[in-house]
Amino acid sequence: MNEYYEVTSASPEETSQLAEALAKHLEPGDLITLEGDLGAGKTSFTKGLAKGLGVKRTVNSPTFTIIKEYKGTELPLYHMDVYRLEEGGEDMGLEEYFDGDGVSVVEWPSMIKEELPQEKLAISIFHLDETSRRIRFEPHGARYITLCKEFLKR
Ligand SMILES: Nc1ncnc2c1ncn2[C@@H]1O[C@H](COP(=O)(O)OP(=O)(O)O)[C@@H](O)[C@H]1O
Ligand SMILES: [Mg+2]
């Protein structure tokens, strides 16, 4: 397994604040994937990221929308929750988002493995108990290694 960093969050607010802080380090074209069981906190994390990017609208994961685009005062956010996708993501034009000027966040990346760029920040959230989560940051590629070092300074 690649090198990774882990942080423990003791509350939904802490997860949100962590994501909000991460957002300040993001650049156009960055890709973040979010793995974890239902209820782990992927959408909560995305909401924090959105706040950090200056998105004013409420971010949620509506039942029939796979990709949602949000304007942010810092950067746009492209939120993809591909949980309900049944085939791979071939014809969805995902590259346009990955090559776009915003930050792409993909919940359930395993559903579109073939379509995802190699370089990304892969985040996994593990359920520890009712209110705590372990959040793992696994950088793939030089850009994200630098990002993790800056953001998680250790
Ligand atoms: N430390 C924590 N971090 C994130 N969410 C938490 C935490 N503790 C409890 N929760 C709760 O877990 C749920 C996570 O839901 P959600 O973000 O929709 O998960 P997912 O998108 O992974 O299915 C929320 O109800 C949230 O309040
Ligand atoms: Mg979700």
Side-chain angles (χ1 to χ4, degrees):
M1 194 187 254
N2 283 298
E3 195 181 349
Y4 58 78
Y5 304 81
E6 285 184 338
V7 171
T8 304
S9 160
S11 67
E13 294 73 29
E14 205 179 318
T15 297
S16 174
Q17 283 159 12
L18 183 74
E20 193 180 337
L22 173 64
K24 302 299 178 195
H25 294 262
L26 298 176
E27 294 173 355
D30 276 347
L31 170 61
I32 292 174
T33 61
L34 284 169
E35 284 183 83
D37 295 337
L38 268 178
K42 300 180 296 296
T43 299
S44 307
F45 192 94
T46 307
K47 287 173 191 269
L49 268 181
K51 193 173 174 211
L53 294 174
V55 173
K56 306 296 179 216
R57 272 166 61 208
T58 303
V59 172
N60 48 28
S61 293
T63 318
F64 297 107
T65 316
I66 304 291
I67 303 176
K68 290 202 87 180
E69 223 175 310
Y70 299 89
K71 284 202 184 75
T73 54
E74 304 302 317
L75 290 172
L77 170 68
Y78 311 134
H79 182 206
M80 303 168 214
D81 186 337
V82 294
Y83 182 58
R84 285 170 192 83
L85 213 58
E86 283 174 4
E87 314 283 308
E90 293 89 7
D91 302 316
M92 299 196 52
L94 295 174
E95 320 72 47
E96 283 189 44
Y97 291 96
F98 300 142
D99 297 339
D101 292 328
V103 170
S104 298
V105 173
V106 181
E107 293 190 40
W108 300 100
S110 55
M111 307 290 285
I112 56 165
K113 245 188 256 126
E114 312 295 310
E115 275 64 50
L116 282 174
Q118 294 268 312
E119 303 227 334
K120 56 188 166 280
L121 177 58
I123 299 179
S124 309
I125 307 179
F126 303 94
H127 196 287
L128 297 181
D129 60 33
E130 192 94 350
T131 55
S132 41
R133 305 288 188 268
R134 175 163 302 131
I135 305 179
R136 178 182 295 171
F137 298 82
E138 195 180 324
H140 296 271
R143 151 81 190 127
Y144 299 99
I145 291 171
T146 307
L147 172 66
C148 282
K149 284 190 179 142
E150 275 177 19
F151 174 56
L152 299 160
K153 288 189 198 86
R154 45 162 237 172

